[in-house]
Amino acid sequence: MGSAITPGHSRVVMKNPIVEMDGDEMTRVIWAMVKEQLLEPFIELALEPYDLHLPERDRTDDVVTTQAAEAIQRHRVGVKCATITPDAARVKEYNLKKAWPSPNGTIRAILDGTVFRKPIVIRTVPPMVRSWKKPIVIGRHAYGDVYRDVEMKIPGPGRVAMTYWPSDGGTGDTVLVHEFRGAGVVKGEHNTEKSIRSFARACIEYALSERLPEMWFAAKDTISKTYHAAFKDIFAEEVQARRADLDRSGVAYQYLLIDDAVARVMRHPGGFLWACRNYDGDLMSDMLASGFGSLGLMTSVLVSPDGNFEFEAAHGTVQRHYYQHLKGEPTSTNSTATIFAWTGALAKRGELDGTQDLVAFAHRLERAVIETIEEGIMTKDLAAIAEPRPAGHVTTEGFIMAIAERLHANVGAGAET
Ligand code: NAP
Ligand code: MG
């Protein structure tokens, strides 16, 4: 059942393929259901599949992850299921050759991308902040600063300095960090012009692609007059270089002091991109995810500076639910963000290929998901916070089946008019 084609409807045909990356645990279970119930009946899927299931990464010595990233560079659009990043416990559980690195880290390193997190806003799942009406998207720089710092404990009195030695043997520079009179701590951070520039370009690319009316970049250049100021200046240069495109798409750019941005975001209706430095983005994306309701509503897209797109849900493999599922117990895992990863990829594929019916289908599927939830059919995570509270919640399968029914009905109705 489920994969029966609605009578009288031809399936949407894809021109170019999407790179499909399957994954692990509960999200792998959901992945198969979404394809069978919500995609295959409506689209003749053209996919280039890579299985990033942990045993498969182990079997291929993780080569499959690199191949998937390279495929995205060829086809420009990918969709990824959540995957396990193995730790010591997983090495044992899956009897792995080693603790393979995070697939997202590997893919990001190859695509040189920036990750954008965008919440799905649903009328009956009100954000915790009253003024938020539209998504607030966070673009987080994913290189350097405190994540690549060096740190030192200072045991007692003495001087700490920072020195630059030019590779060409030229005159360098030394600055005194601090003259310690007692014990203390010190750290050195860095970033590169290349990385900051590609971050700025990815943010501009994203704002244009989503036609967002506003893009912010925030830092603290009043205090950090060289380090933060470098970010501010590079952003300004990159914005200037794309000024005509930004004007044409109606994207307004502004630089804000980070404290001003934090204050403003609380009374802003949303619908904008907030480009954040690495640490700010780490914090603000978690703040927004919980402020907008549930991890099951948070989508994520990796955008490379040259315009390749990889879509996924922001959450992980939902391991706790998977173990319930393995025991044969019912689960209530929210597939919304996974479905929106697919619709994001399909819409982008359609946009790049000029296939309007693919874009239209993606939007129709998104509407079917939102209408299903607004009608009161939802998983446990949303049932706990929705207004009005629904009488109960549905299972993982029940939710996807309810969306499928609505989609079949909507597609049928659409064809008659
Ligand atoms: P997680 O999979 O995001 O789940 C954490 C908890 O959040 C769940 O136990 C569940 O809470 C809730 N949750 C997350 N997504 C949900 C959804 N769609 N529907 C309903 N509830 C949802 O994080 P984790 O358990 O820390 O990580 C599990 C594995 O995922 C790890 O191996 C990690 O490496 C991997 N991971 C992968 C990615 C990725 O591929 N992008 C990202 C993060 C983590 P309740 O248990 O309270 O219901
Ligand atoms: Mg964080």
Side-chain angles (χ1 to χ4, degrees):
M1 65 148 294
S3 52
I5 296 166
T6 312
H9 299 288
S10 53
R11 296 193 296 173
V12 174
V13 176
M14 290 174 64
K15 211 167 173 181
N16 288 300
I18 288 174
V19 177
E20 179 206 16
M21 290 154 282
D22 205 343
D24 293 301
E25 298 193 314
M26 202 59 207
T27 40
R28 187 179 180 88
V29 174
I30 286 174
W31 197 258
M33 289 184 205
V34 167
K35 277 179 70 181
E36 188 195 302
Q37 308 265 343
L38 304 179
L39 303 176
E40 279 160 2
F42 306 97
I43 309 173
E44 275 182 43
L45 288 170
L47 302 172
E48 187 164 313
Y50 292 85
D51 194 353
L52 305 192
H53 190 29
L54 186 49
E56 191 56 18
R57 280 181 272 150
D58 196 51
R59 189 186 70 77
T60 62
D61 291 338
D62 208 22
V63 167
V64 64
T65 309
T66 303
Q67 287 173 336
E70 287 167 357
I72 297 171
Q73 289 180 316
R74 281 196 304 278
H75 299 299
R76 299 191 60 194
V77 185
V79 59
K80 180 180 166 291
C81 179
T83 46
I84 293 169
T85 297
D87 54 12
R90 299 296 202 162
V91 170
K92 235 172 119 186
E93 182 184 353
Y94 284 84
N95 191 23
L96 303 176
K97 294 176 196 158
K98 60 182 254 197
W100 301 106
S102 148
N104 286 356
T106 302
I107 294 167
R108 195 158 58 217
I110 293 170
L111 295 183
D112 179 24
T114 297
V115 173
F116 297 89
R117 280 175 147 216
K118 177 185 178 185
I120 299 155
V121 176
I122 294 167
R123 196 168 37 79
T124 53
V125 185
M128 307 296 154
V129 177
R130 242 185 301 147
S131 55
W132 293 353
K133 304 287 180 224
K134 289 184 192 163
I136 297 166
V137 184
I138 296 280
R140 175 183 169 190
H141 186 207
Y143 177 81
D145 299 350
V146 71
Y147 303 86
R148 292 277 181 109
D149 73 348
V150 290
E151 309 191 347
M152 212 194 281
K153 241 185 175 158
I154 306 300
R159 280 182 297 168
V160 175
M162 204 160 64
T163 301
Y164 165 60
W165 292 283
S167 300
D168 65 6
T171 330
D173 201 7
T174 295
V175 291
L176 180 70
V177 175
H178 191 63
E179 175 145 14
F180 285 89
R181 293 174 194 281
V185 282
V186 69
K187 77 173 170 180
E189 288 184 16
H190 82 279
N191 221 300
T192 67
E193 181 180 332
K194 182 168 177 279
S195 175
I196 300 168
R197 211 170 276 292
S198 90
F199 169 53
R201 284 181 189 161
C203 288
I204 292 166
E205 201 62 56
Y206 182 89
L208 289 171
S209 151
E210 295 274 314
R211 291 193 173 74
L212 290 173
E214 280 184 58
M215 175 170 102
W216 298 1
F217 173 65
K220 191 80 176 179
D221 69 304
T222 46
I223 300 298
S224 175
K225 290 183 163 59
T226 303
Y227 198 103
H228 285 211
F231 279 78
K232 177 186 175 181
D233 293 345
I234 291 169
F235 252 83
E237 286 164 22
E238 291 302 323
V239 163
Q240 199 47 44
R242 297 294 295 276
R243 180 60 75 191
D245 292 332
L246 290 165
D247 286 349
R248 199 174 318 116
S249 299
V251 182
Y253 170 74
Q254 58 177 330
Y255 171 79
L256 297 168
L257 282 174
I258 185 77
D259 34 3
D260 185 22
V262 167
R264 279 198 206 196
V265 80
M266 286 299 160
R267 18 183 184 82
H268 199 285
F272 68 98
L273 168 64
W274 183 3
C276 286
R277 295 177 58 252
N278 208 347
Y279 180 76
D280 300 337
D282 186 351
L283 274 55
M284 292 306 150
S285 59
D286 285 337
M287 191 265 281
L288 285 163
S290 99
F292 273 103
S294 164
L295 260 180
L297 294 180
M298 188 57 87
T299 65
S300 176
V301 57
L302 175 71
V303 181
S304 79
D306 45 354
N308 300 319
F309 297 80
E310 185 220 27
F311 296 83
E312 66 168 351
H315 60 75
T317 59
V318 212
Q319 181 182 17
R320 199 183 66 77
H321 297 203
Y322 182 59
Y323 288 171
Q324 282 182 342
H325 170 80
L326 286 183
K327 280 192 265 172
E329 293 169 12
T331 56
S332 186
T333 315
N334 190 349
S335 48
T336 302
T338 298
I339 297 169
F340 273 65
W342 274 102
T343 56
L346 292 168
K348 180 54 72 181
R349 181 76 279 166
E351 186 191 311
L352 294 176
D353 293 352
T355 44
Q356 196 45 47
D357 48 350
L358 193 57
V359 178
F361 173 77
H363 293 152
R364 190 174 290 153
L365 174 51
E366 289 180 354
R367 261 200 319 280
V369 175
I370 290 171
E371 286 169 7
T372 300
I373 298 170
E374 286 181 350
E375 195 176 82
I377 302 171
M378 63 190 85
T379 45
K380 199 173 178 180
D381 55 320
L382 298 187
I385 54 172
E387 282 174 19
R389 287 287 145 91
H393 61 263
V394 292
T395 59
T396 307
E397 300 81 358
F399 182 60
I400 293 172
M401 259 146 64
I403 297 164
E405 262 172 45
R406 182 173 291 271
L407 190 56
H408 280 285
N410 287 358
V411 167
E416 278 157 28
T417 53

